[in-house]
Amino acid sequence: MSAPPHLHWHTKDAQTVLLALGADERGGLSAAEAAARLQQHGPNELPEDKHKPMWKVFASQFASPLIYILFVAAVISFAMGHASDAVVILVVVLINALIGAVQEGRAEHSMTALRKLSALRLRVVRDGSESIIEARELVPGDILLLGAGDQVGADARLLEAVALEATEAALTGESLPVLKHTEVVPEDAGLGDRRNMIYSGTHLTAGRGRAVVVATGLQSEVGKIARLTATAEEPKTPLEVRLKQFGNWLVIASVVLFALILSFGLLRGIPFGLIFMVAISQMVSMVPEGLPVAMTIALAVGMQRMARRGAIVRRLAAVETLGSTSVICSDKTGTLTKNEMTVTTLLLPDGRRIEATGAGYSPEGKLLADGKEITADHDGAMMHLLEAITLCNDANLVPPNVEINHWRPLGDPTEAALLTVALKGCVEPEALRHQWPRRAEIPFDSGAKMMATQHGHGGKCRVIFKGAPEKLLDLCDPKTLNLTQTRQKSDELAAQALRVLAVAEINDVALDEEAGFEPWRGKLRFLGLLGQMDPPRDEARKAVAECLAAGIRPVMVTGDHKATGLAIATTLGIARDGDLAVDGNELELMPEQDLRASLDQISVFARVHPAQKLRIVEAFQSQRQVVAMTGDGVNDAPALAAADVGVAMGITGTEVAKGAAKIVVTDDNFATIVKAVEEGRLVYQNLKKVILYLLATSMAEVLVLLGALLAGLPLPLVAVQILWINIVTEGTVTVNLIMEPLEGDEMRRKPNRLGESLLSRDLMRRVLLMTPTMVASTLGFFIWRLSTGVPYELVQSETFTVLAVCQWFNVLNCRSATHTALSLDIFKNYWLLGGLVLGNLLHLAVIYTDTLNHIFHTVPIPLADFFLIGLVASSVLWVEELRKWLARRRR
């Protein structure tokens, strides 16, 4: 059953809406009913922009100055009677367009796959229990469970709203959060005034609630507004801009080169038609037409590799920036630790210390006092504490089932661990919550670091507070505890790497949700402390060591006590001897210049609130550091947006945090962030390999021709041969070089300098070694063969082959700056291996096929000469191998 879409839902009370939609507030829709409604209403999504058809992608490959130059050259060739040359030029243009179209289609396919990985997921009630589904599966009548940080997936009428606020700027233009309620509003209320509604595409910034979906897809308010369905084109990354500038300089250089060759040739008396075609060919060889394609593929492949390793890239620029990261500011819980909270210690007001056995979320375990088992049934102080942590709690525990054979948390792991210890003490959460239902609450506040709930039973009322000891103890009545001693015990637990929570209560007083926590100062009854262990991830220590070896400094930024944070940081190797831990209060009092001066000694920022995260990021950036910052909460968004690489948590992260971040880590693991940095370095490294290859080979082609012209020699290559080398010989390996795997030492190098020149000093040194070697080999061979008296056509064919083989050897050189090419590592990049095989086969066809002999002005080469050609052309390999050997010795 579904209601007509024109109903004004904001004018109806909640029960009328539920009845109209055939929805059950507590049980939700059944799976069968949800499937039927999905069939009726269609997926909850807006129509995507149509993909550009393949013929348009193919046609767009011809929109290039390079292609225009080649078309002009083909027309002139036809006019001068060189039909075969014109055909070759047109075939070359066609091949280039086909390669470009295939690569562009491949990149688009990669990006589509990545978009699917980052699909929005929401909590709903179906078949009487909480489920997590993709937003596209929502249907009218679904019951949404809402919390701070959620993105709203469909238009919905609120059924419950507890301090619930939403930002609706995307829909209404209102920049400030709007406080929501469940009361009926007038029919003529505008979208921004419909406080009992939430809308698709908006975000929740505070509170919690429950709502029933009333409109999905095109029936939603977003679906009705065409301007919101348009997708903005992502801006160019800094690297793309630098590549474009680099390409523009090469185009200018190629025009100058064209004029030089044409002038030299005419001065030498070479026929205009012949030298014009050669000059055009050399001009084409200088333009790096493979570079933009290589860039696109590099980024797309890098994003795919990162996705496979658990890091979803949301901003293209992050791929480049990751390789330059020099500081990683990481949260502790769930990122450096397992986020498998276990309460190990309870301290009661009378000073008794209770130890809890067991691990994880399974309630199997005991509570021991002085080695003897106790239960809450026979201990009033224990009963009060365990009941309080059960009621002031938004989590649930899911018992084992057929699919999953272990207990697991539903909600915050810290709160789920409290339920586990309550069950160990024989407190049943479901029965207790039914007996003492929640009447009011102040949701957890990251600034106050506390939450409070009010519960009623009969005529009785109890208000329970839970939070950080240094905050909550100030609210307690000094008569109920020894404040100094309790603080000392809290610090001792924190120094043991335990997360410490304090719990307090007051009875028969109503909770004022608007007044906050301050009115309760000195009035609460202290119930106890709980220490939770969250063990470090097994892989975190190794990841930290990799960071340090890679010149990256890990810094812990945590909401825990600084003693807890420092203990974990020391265990993982983040904190060194003499390093400091600074908490939020100390940071607040620290002048900016003192903070910046102390950054090198601070390894842990503890008890920081989200606004302070932004200050930490800016402090590191002021020292010209490239900063990655992790975050998961709503208020982390400014710091994530300001960081060079904002990293949101995929499991615990809110949709607001994910929206502000450039990377989403699917497993909330610090080691995954380090892997993403490694992949970012690989992308940049492989792009530099392509630039090295294209620059060295292009310059070699140019210098071979200029050398022959200046020396008064015949032309060593004809125009179509130059085009063949430029498009086919290079084209079959250039993009494939981007597919190079990790060399293994990426994380033992210093970070890439952000914005550094593409033509770095090291790269130019290699170019200045490779290029002269290839020129000497090719031109030397040409001069020597001319002196032997063999036919000029054979000399030209052999010189053409020497230059091609030089380039094949040189692509092997470019695979690594230090590792030898004389290994079987080539089999790790089957794309490059396939390109080399294809290039060889095509070249053999040009040399030994009659039809192609005529077109490319070649003649068959005696097989015995191939050994000599290979030996001469391999000189570029041996010279580079010598340089690599010397480089390895200097390490």
Short mmCIF file of all heavy atoms in Angstrom, two decimals, residues 124-180:
data_model
loop_
_atom_site.label_atom_id
_atom_site.label_comp_id
_atom_site.label_asym_id
_atom_site.label_seq_id
_atom_site.Cartn_x
_atom_site.Cartn_y
_atom_site.Cartn_z
N VAL A 124 17.54 1.12 8.80
CA VAL A 124 16.08 1.07 8.74
C VAL A 124 15.58 -0.06 9.63
O VAL A 124 16.35 -0.91 10.07
CB VAL A 124 15.58 0.84 7.29
CG1 VAL A 124 16.02 1.95 6.36
CG2 VAL A 124 16.06 -0.52 6.76
N VAL A 125 14.27 -0.04 9.87
CA VAL A 125 13.63 -1.15 10.57
C VAL A 125 12.88 -1.98 9.54
O VAL A 125 12.02 -1.46 8.83
CB VAL A 125 12.65 -0.65 11.66
CG1 VAL A 125 11.96 -1.85 12.31
CG2 VAL A 125 13.39 0.17 12.69
N ARG A 126 13.24 -3.24 9.44
CA ARG A 126 12.54 -4.17 8.53
C ARG A 126 12.33 -5.49 9.25
O ARG A 126 13.24 -5.98 9.94
CB ARG A 126 13.33 -4.39 7.24
CG ARG A 126 13.35 -3.16 6.33
CD ARG A 126 13.20 -3.52 4.89
NE ARG A 126 13.16 -2.35 4.04
CZ ARG A 126 13.71 -2.31 2.82
NH1 ARG A 126 14.33 -3.37 2.34
NH2 ARG A 126 13.60 -1.22 2.09
N ASP A 127 11.15 -6.05 9.09
CA ASP A 127 10.82 -7.32 9.75
C ASP A 127 11.07 -7.27 11.25
O ASP A 127 11.50 -8.24 11.87
CB ASP A 127 11.62 -8.47 9.13
CG ASP A 127 11.12 -8.84 7.74
OD1 ASP A 127 9.89 -8.87 7.55
OD2 ASP A 127 11.95 -9.07 6.85
N GLY A 128 10.84 -6.09 11.85
CA GLY A 128 10.93 -5.96 13.30
C GLY A 128 12.32 -5.77 13.87
O GLY A 128 12.48 -5.69 15.08
N SER A 129 13.35 -5.69 13.02
CA SER A 129 14.71 -5.52 13.53
C SER A 129 15.46 -4.50 12.69
O SER A 129 15.08 -4.21 11.55
CB SER A 129 15.46 -6.86 13.53
OG SER A 129 15.56 -7.38 12.22
N GLU A 130 16.53 -3.98 13.26
CA GLU A 130 17.33 -2.97 12.57
C GLU A 130 18.15 -3.62 11.46
O GLU A 130 18.76 -4.68 11.64
CB GLU A 130 18.27 -2.27 13.57
CG GLU A 130 19.11 -1.19 12.95
CD GLU A 130 19.98 -0.48 13.98
OE1 GLU A 130 19.55 -0.36 15.14
OE2 GLU A 130 21.09 -0.03 13.59
N SER A 131 18.18 -2.97 10.30
CA SER A 131 18.97 -3.45 9.16
C SER A 131 19.70 -2.26 8.54
O SER A 131 19.31 -1.11 8.73
CB SER A 131 18.06 -4.09 8.10
OG SER A 131 17.32 -5.16 8.63
N ILE A 132 20.75 -2.56 7.82
CA ILE A 132 21.48 -1.54 7.07
C ILE A 132 21.34 -1.84 5.59
O ILE A 132 21.67 -2.94 5.15
CB ILE A 132 22.97 -1.51 7.48
CG1 ILE A 132 23.10 -1.15 8.96
CG2 ILE A 132 23.74 -0.50 6.63
CD1 ILE A 132 24.51 -1.18 9.48
N ILE A 133 20.80 -0.88 4.83
CA ILE A 133 20.57 -1.10 3.39
C ILE A 133 21.13 0.09 2.62
O ILE A 133 21.40 1.15 3.18
CB ILE A 133 19.07 -1.27 3.08
CG1 ILE A 133 18.31 0.02 3.40
CG2 ILE A 133 18.48 -2.45 3.81
CD1 ILE A 133 16.86 0.03 2.92
N GLU A 134 21.29 -0.11 1.31
CA GLU A 134 21.70 1.00 0.45
C GLU A 134 20.51 1.95 0.26
O GLU A 134 19.35 1.52 0.22
CB GLU A 134 22.18 0.49 -0.91
CG GLU A 134 23.54 -0.17 -0.86
CD GLU A 134 24.13 -0.41 -2.24
OE1 GLU A 134 23.57 0.12 -3.23
OE2 GLU A 134 25.13 -1.13 -2.34
N ALA A 135 20.84 3.24 0.15
CA ALA A 135 19.78 4.24 0.02
C ALA A 135 18.89 3.98 -1.18
O ALA A 135 17.70 4.29 -1.15
CB ALA A 135 20.41 5.63 -0.08
N ARG A 136 19.43 3.41 -2.25
CA ARG A 136 18.64 3.18 -3.46
C ARG A 136 17.53 2.16 -3.23
O ARG A 136 16.58 2.06 -4.01
CB ARG A 136 19.54 2.73 -4.63
CG ARG A 136 20.14 1.36 -4.47
CD ARG A 136 21.12 1.04 -5.59
NE ARG A 136 20.52 1.19 -6.89
CZ ARG A 136 19.82 0.24 -7.51
NH1 ARG A 136 19.57 -0.91 -6.91
NH2 ARG A 136 19.31 0.46 -8.70
N GLU A 137 17.59 1.40 -2.11
CA GLU A 137 16.59 0.38 -1.81
C GLU A 137 15.45 0.91 -0.95
O GLU A 137 14.51 0.18 -0.65
CB GLU A 137 17.26 -0.81 -1.11
CG GLU A 137 18.31 -1.51 -1.96
CD GLU A 137 19.08 -2.57 -1.17
OE1 GLU A 137 18.62 -2.94 -0.07
OE2 GLU A 137 20.14 -3.01 -1.65
N LEU A 138 15.54 2.17 -0.52
CA LEU A 138 14.47 2.74 0.31
C LEU A 138 13.16 2.85 -0.48
O LEU A 138 13.17 3.15 -1.68
CB LEU A 138 14.86 4.14 0.80
CG LEU A 138 15.87 4.24 1.94
CD1 LEU A 138 16.20 5.70 2.20
CD2 LEU A 138 15.36 3.56 3.20
N VAL A 139 12.05 2.64 0.22
CA VAL A 139 10.73 2.76 -0.40
C VAL A 139 9.82 3.54 0.55
O VAL A 139 10.07 3.60 1.76
CB VAL A 139 10.11 1.38 -0.70
CG1 VAL A 139 10.91 0.63 -1.73
CG2 VAL A 139 9.98 0.55 0.59
N PRO A 140 8.74 4.17 0.04
CA PRO A 140 7.78 4.83 0.93
C PRO A 140 7.24 3.83 1.96
O PRO A 140 6.88 2.70 1.63
CB PRO A 140 6.68 5.28 -0.03
CG PRO A 140 7.39 5.47 -1.35
CD PRO A 140 8.41 4.38 -1.39
N GLY A 141 7.21 4.27 3.22
CA GLY A 141 6.77 3.39 4.31
C GLY A 141 7.90 2.81 5.11
O GLY A 141 7.69 2.27 6.21
N ASP A 142 9.15 2.91 4.61
CA ASP A 142 10.31 2.44 5.39
C ASP A 142 10.48 3.31 6.63
O ASP A 142 10.29 4.53 6.57
CB ASP A 142 11.58 2.50 4.54
CG ASP A 142 11.97 1.15 3.96
OD1 ASP A 142 11.75 0.13 4.67
OD2 ASP A 142 12.50 1.11 2.84
N ILE A 143 10.88 2.69 7.73
CA ILE A 143 11.17 3.42 8.97
C ILE A 143 12.66 3.66 9.06
O ILE A 143 13.45 2.71 9.11
CB ILE A 143 10.67 2.64 10.21
CG1 ILE A 143 9.17 2.33 10.08
CG2 ILE A 143 10.97 3.42 11.48
CD1 ILE A 143 8.29 3.56 10.00
N LEU A 144 13.07 4.93 9.06
CA LEU A 144 14.48 5.32 9.14
C LEU A 144 14.88 5.52 10.60
O LEU A 144 14.15 6.15 11.37
CB LEU A 144 14.73 6.62 8.39
CG LEU A 144 14.61 6.62 6.86
CD1 LEU A 144 14.73 8.05 6.36
CD2 LEU A 144 15.70 5.76 6.26
N LEU A 145 16.07 5.02 10.95
CA LEU A 145 16.66 5.30 12.26
C LEU A 145 17.74 6.35 12.05
O LEU A 145 18.65 6.16 11.24
CB LEU A 145 17.26 4.02 12.86
CG LEU A 145 16.25 2.88 13.08
CD1 LEU A 145 16.96 1.65 13.62
CD2 LEU A 145 15.14 3.31 14.02
N LEU A 146 17.62 7.46 12.76
CA LEU A 146 18.45 8.64 12.47
C LEU A 146 19.40 8.96 13.61
O LEU A 146 19.05 8.79 14.78
CB LEU A 146 17.55 9.85 12.22
CG LEU A 146 16.41 9.64 11.21
CD1 LEU A 146 15.42 10.80 11.27
CD2 LEU A 146 16.97 9.49 9.80
N GLY A 147 20.58 9.44 13.25
CA GLY A 147 21.56 9.85 14.24
C GLY A 147 22.42 10.97 13.70
O GLY A 147 22.48 11.21 12.48
N ALA A 148 23.11 11.68 14.60
CA ALA A 148 23.98 12.77 14.19
C ALA A 148 25.02 12.27 13.20
O ALA A 148 25.63 11.23 13.40
CB ALA A 148 24.67 13.37 15.41
N GLY A 149 25.20 13.02 12.11
CA GLY A 149 26.18 12.65 11.09
C GLY A 149 25.61 11.90 9.92
O GLY A 149 26.28 11.73 8.90
N ASP A 150 24.34 11.45 10.03
CA ASP A 150 23.74 10.71 8.92
C ASP A 150 23.39 11.65 7.77
O ASP A 150 23.01 12.81 7.98
CB ASP A 150 22.45 10.01 9.37
CG ASP A 150 22.72 8.84 10.29
OD1 ASP A 150 23.91 8.47 10.42
OD2 ASP A 150 21.76 8.32 10.89
N GLN A 151 23.51 11.13 6.56
CA GLN A 151 22.93 11.82 5.41
C GLN A 151 21.54 11.26 5.22
O GLN A 151 21.31 10.06 5.34
CB GLN A 151 23.77 11.57 4.16
CG GLN A 151 23.20 12.26 2.92
CD GLN A 151 24.08 12.10 1.71
OE1 GLN A 151 25.29 12.05 1.82
NE2 GLN A 151 23.47 11.99 0.54
N VAL A 152 20.59 12.14 4.94
CA VAL A 152 19.21 11.71 4.75
C VAL A 152 19.07 11.16 3.33
O VAL A 152 19.45 11.82 2.36
CB VAL A 152 18.23 12.87 4.99
CG1 VAL A 152 16.79 12.40 4.79
CG2 VAL A 152 18.42 13.45 6.38
N GLY A 153 18.52 9.95 3.22
CA GLY A 153 18.46 9.28 1.93
C GLY A 153 17.16 9.43 1.17
O GLY A 153 17.08 9.06 0.00
N ALA A 154 16.13 9.95 1.83
CA ALA A 154 14.83 10.12 1.17
C ALA A 154 14.02 11.14 1.97
O ALA A 154 14.33 11.43 3.12
CB ALA A 154 14.08 8.79 1.09
N ASP A 155 12.97 11.69 1.37
CA ASP A 155 12.08 12.59 2.11
C ASP A 155 11.30 11.77 3.13
O ASP A 155 10.79 10.68 2.79
CB ASP A 155 11.11 13.28 1.17
CG ASP A 155 11.80 14.29 0.25
OD1 ASP A 155 13.04 14.41 0.34
OD2 ASP A 155 11.10 14.93 -0.54
N ALA A 156 11.20 12.27 4.37
CA ALA A 156 10.55 11.48 5.42
C ALA A 156 9.87 12.39 6.43
O ALA A 156 10.29 13.52 6.68
CB ALA A 156 11.58 10.58 6.11
N ARG A 157 8.79 11.85 7.03
CA ARG A 157 8.06 12.55 8.10
C ARG A 157 8.58 12.03 9.43
O ARG A 157 8.66 10.82 9.67
CB ARG A 157 6.56 12.27 7.96
CG ARG A 157 5.69 12.71 9.12
CD ARG A 157 5.67 14.23 9.27
NE ARG A 157 4.53 14.70 10.06
CZ ARG A 157 4.50 14.79 11.39
NH1 ARG A 157 5.56 14.40 12.09
NH2 ARG A 157 3.43 15.24 12.00
N LEU A 158 8.98 12.96 10.31
CA LEU A 158 9.54 12.57 11.60
C LEU A 158 8.49 11.96 12.52
O LEU A 158 7.37 12.49 12.63
CB LEU A 158 10.19 13.77 12.28
CG LEU A 158 11.54 14.20 11.69
CD1 LEU A 158 11.93 15.58 12.20
CD2 LEU A 158 12.62 13.18 12.02
N LEU A 159 8.84 10.88 13.18
CA LEU A 159 7.99 10.23 14.17
C LEU A 159 8.53 10.47 15.57
O LEU A 159 7.78 10.45 16.55
CB LEU A 159 7.92 8.72 13.91
CG LEU A 159 7.50 8.31 12.49
CD1 LEU A 159 7.64 6.81 12.33
CD2 LEU A 159 6.06 8.75 12.22
N GLU A 160 9.86 10.66 15.66
CA GLU A 160 10.53 10.90 16.94
C GLU A 160 11.72 11.80 16.67
O GLU A 160 12.45 11.60 15.70
CB GLU A 160 10.99 9.57 17.55
CG GLU A 160 11.73 9.69 18.85
CD GLU A 160 12.25 8.34 19.35
OE1 GLU A 160 11.86 7.29 18.77
OE2 GLU A 160 13.06 8.34 20.29
N ALA A 161 11.93 12.80 17.51
CA ALA A 161 13.07 13.71 17.33
C ALA A 161 13.57 14.15 18.70
O ALA A 161 12.85 14.80 19.45
CB ALA A 161 12.66 14.93 16.51
N VAL A 162 14.80 13.76 19.01
CA VAL A 162 15.44 14.12 20.27
C VAL A 162 16.63 15.02 19.97
O VAL A 162 17.65 14.55 19.46
CB VAL A 162 15.90 12.87 21.04
CG1 VAL A 162 16.57 13.28 22.36
CG2 VAL A 162 14.73 11.93 21.30
N ALA A 163 16.47 16.31 20.22
CA ALA A 163 17.53 17.30 19.94
C ALA A 163 18.06 17.14 18.52
O ALA A 163 19.25 17.32 18.27
CB ALA A 163 18.67 17.17 20.96
N LEU A 164 17.17 16.81 17.59
CA LEU A 164 17.57 16.51 16.22
C LEU A 164 17.71 17.80 15.41
O LEU A 164 16.79 18.62 15.36
CB LEU A 164 16.53 15.60 15.56
CG LEU A 164 16.90 15.01 14.20
CD1 LEU A 164 18.05 14.01 14.33
CD2 LEU A 164 15.69 14.32 13.56
N GLU A 165 18.89 17.99 14.79
CA GLU A 165 19.14 19.15 13.96
C GLU A 165 19.62 18.71 12.59
O GLU A 165 20.32 17.70 12.46
CB GLU A 165 20.20 20.07 14.60
CG GLU A 165 19.74 20.68 15.91
CD GLU A 165 20.78 21.64 16.48
OE1 GLU A 165 21.85 21.81 15.85
OE2 GLU A 165 20.53 22.21 17.56
N ALA A 166 19.24 19.47 11.57
CA ALA A 166 19.62 19.13 10.19
C ALA A 166 20.11 20.38 9.47
O ALA A 166 19.59 21.49 9.68
CB ALA A 166 18.43 18.54 9.44
N THR A 167 21.12 20.19 8.62
CA THR A 167 21.55 21.28 7.73
C THR A 167 20.90 21.05 6.38
O THR A 167 21.04 19.99 5.78
CB THR A 167 23.09 21.30 7.56
OG1 THR A 167 23.54 20.03 7.12
CG2 THR A 167 23.78 21.63 8.85
N GLU A 168 20.16 22.06 5.92
CA GLU A 168 19.38 21.93 4.69
C GLU A 168 19.79 22.95 3.64
O GLU A 168 19.02 23.31 2.77
CB GLU A 168 17.89 22.08 5.02
CG GLU A 168 17.40 21.02 6.00
CD GLU A 168 15.94 21.17 6.39
OE1 GLU A 168 15.42 22.31 6.30
OE2 GLU A 168 15.33 20.17 6.79
N ALA A 169 21.07 23.40 3.74
CA ALA A 169 21.55 24.43 2.82
C ALA A 169 21.42 24.01 1.36
O ALA A 169 21.11 24.81 0.49
CB ALA A 169 23.00 24.78 3.14
N ALA A 170 21.64 22.72 1.09
CA ALA A 170 21.57 22.24 -0.29
C ALA A 170 20.17 22.38 -0.88
O ALA A 170 20.00 22.48 -2.09
CB ALA A 170 22.01 20.77 -0.35
N LEU A 171 19.17 22.42 0.01
CA LEU A 171 17.79 22.46 -0.45
C LEU A 171 17.16 23.84 -0.29
O LEU A 171 16.46 24.33 -1.18
CB LEU A 171 16.97 21.42 0.33
CG LEU A 171 15.59 21.06 -0.21
CD1 LEU A 171 15.71 20.43 -1.58
CD2 LEU A 171 14.90 20.10 0.75
N THR A 172 17.43 24.48 0.86
CA THR A 172 16.75 25.74 1.17
C THR A 172 17.68 26.95 1.14
O THR A 172 17.21 28.09 1.13
CB THR A 172 16.13 25.67 2.58
OG1 THR A 172 17.18 25.58 3.55
CG2 THR A 172 15.20 24.48 2.71
N GLY A 173 19.00 26.73 1.16
CA GLY A 173 19.95 27.83 1.21
C GLY A 173 20.24 28.31 2.61
O GLY A 173 21.11 29.15 2.83
N GLU A 174 19.55 27.76 3.61
CA GLU A 174 19.76 28.13 5.01
C GLU A 174 21.04 27.46 5.51
O GLU A 174 21.13 26.23 5.55
CB GLU A 174 18.56 27.70 5.87
CG GLU A 174 18.74 27.89 7.37
CD GLU A 174 19.05 29.32 7.76
OE1 GLU A 174 18.25 30.21 7.41
OE2 GLU A 174 20.12 29.53 8.37
N SER A 175 22.03 28.27 5.92
CA SER A 175 23.33 27.71 6.29
C SER A 175 23.35 27.15 7.70
O SER A 175 24.15 26.26 8.01
CB SER A 175 24.42 28.78 6.15
OG SER A 175 24.12 29.88 6.97
N LEU A 176 22.48 27.64 8.59
CA LEU A 176 22.51 27.18 9.98
C LEU A 176 21.66 25.92 10.14
O LEU A 176 20.65 25.73 9.46
CB LEU A 176 21.96 28.28 10.90
CG LEU A 176 22.78 29.58 10.94
CD1 LEU A 176 22.08 30.61 11.81
CD2 LEU A 176 24.19 29.31 11.46
N PRO A 177 22.05 25.03 11.08
CA PRO A 177 21.25 23.83 11.33
C PRO A 177 19.85 24.19 11.83
O PRO A 177 19.65 25.19 12.51
CB PRO A 177 22.05 23.11 12.43
CG PRO A 177 23.43 23.65 12.32
CD PRO A 177 23.28 25.07 11.88
N VAL A 178 18.88 23.37 11.46
CA VAL A 178 17.48 23.60 11.82
C VAL A 178 17.07 22.56 12.86
O VAL A 178 17.28 21.35 12.67
CB VAL A 178 16.57 23.47 10.58
CG1 VAL A 178 15.11 23.64 10.97
CG2 VAL A 178 16.98 24.50 9.53
N LEU A 179 16.51 23.02 13.99
CA LEU A 179 16.04 22.11 15.03
C LEU A 179 14.71 21.49 14.59
O LEU A 179 13.77 22.20 14.22
CB LEU A 179 15.85 22.86 16.35
CG LEU A 179 15.40 22.01 17.54
CD1 LEU A 179 16.48 21.00 17.91
CD2 LEU A 179 15.07 22.90 18.74
N LYS A 180 14.62 20.17 14.64
CA LYS A 180 13.44 19.45 14.15
C LYS A 180 12.51 19.04 15.29
O LYS A 180 12.94 18.91 16.44
CB LYS A 180 13.88 18.21 13.36
CG LYS A 180 14.67 18.53 12.10
CD LYS A 180 13.81 19.18 11.04
CE LYS A 180 14.53 19.44 9.74
NZ LYS A 180 13.65 19.97 8.70
#
